[in-house]
Amino acid sequence: GARRHYGGIGARFHEHISKRLLDGALEAFRAHGVPDREVEVVWVPGSFELPQAASHLARSGRFDALVCVGVVIKGETPHFEHVGREAASGISRVALATGVPVTFGVITALSEEQALDRAGGKVANRGEEAALAALEMAEFVKRPGRRTRRYSGG
């Protein structure tokens, strides 16, 4: 098929965890035939900045889908609920406004341990899940009305 190009946007706050999320996303892309050279990765200061970066990249017209990853930990983030909610609604608004699928791989957790569990630890990798959703939605947007393939993790 045609070449597909994806973007990964990582929030640097709690970078050691965000990196694991981004690695999970890249691994999911690789597993489904998207080579690293077709995934452009950028970093922003924190989860609050993810929607603005996503908007900028989506409007460039270069991407089939974007994956946003980040970590918001309750005890370490003032206005924890606000930051998480704004990141989620902002990312959703970008997808609706541009037509480019933008998926949400942001972990909101009560502790660093809980965040690590969701970044490839005991529970799953939220970045991988977001990349799989991006693959499916990119296909959906390109082939409206057709049944899309279900992408699953490894």
Side-chain angles (χ1 to χ4, degrees), residues 3-26:
R3 210 175 80 168
R4 298 173 296 163
H5 195 65
Y6 295 89
I9 308 167
R12 260 194 311 271
F13 204 68
H14 301 296
E15 187 171 5
H16 64 292
I17 305 174
S18 291
K19 181 158 182 359
R20 289 170 63 159
L21 293 169
L22 211 44
D23 288 346
L26 291 170

Side-chain angles (χ1 to χ4, degrees), residues 22-87:
L22 211 44
D23 288 346
L26 291 170
E27 192 53 52
F29 282 131
R30 268 183 230 118
H32 291 282
V34 180
D36 287 359
R37 71 176 177 278
E38 295 303 333
V39 185
E40 203 172 308
V41 173
V42 298
W43 289 91
V44 296
S47 293
F48 196 79
E49 289 76 32
L50 289 168
Q52 186 175 8
S55 177
H56 179 75
L57 294 180
R59 290 174 200 285
S60 75
R62 297 192 331 261
F63 298 93
D64 292 293
L66 300 168
V67 176
C68 295
V69 300
V71 182
V72 185
I73 297 174
K74 185 171 187 161
E76 301 170 27
T77 308
H79 318 303
F80 160 81
E81 289 85 359
H82 177 70
V83 171
R85 190 172 50 247
E86 286 303 311

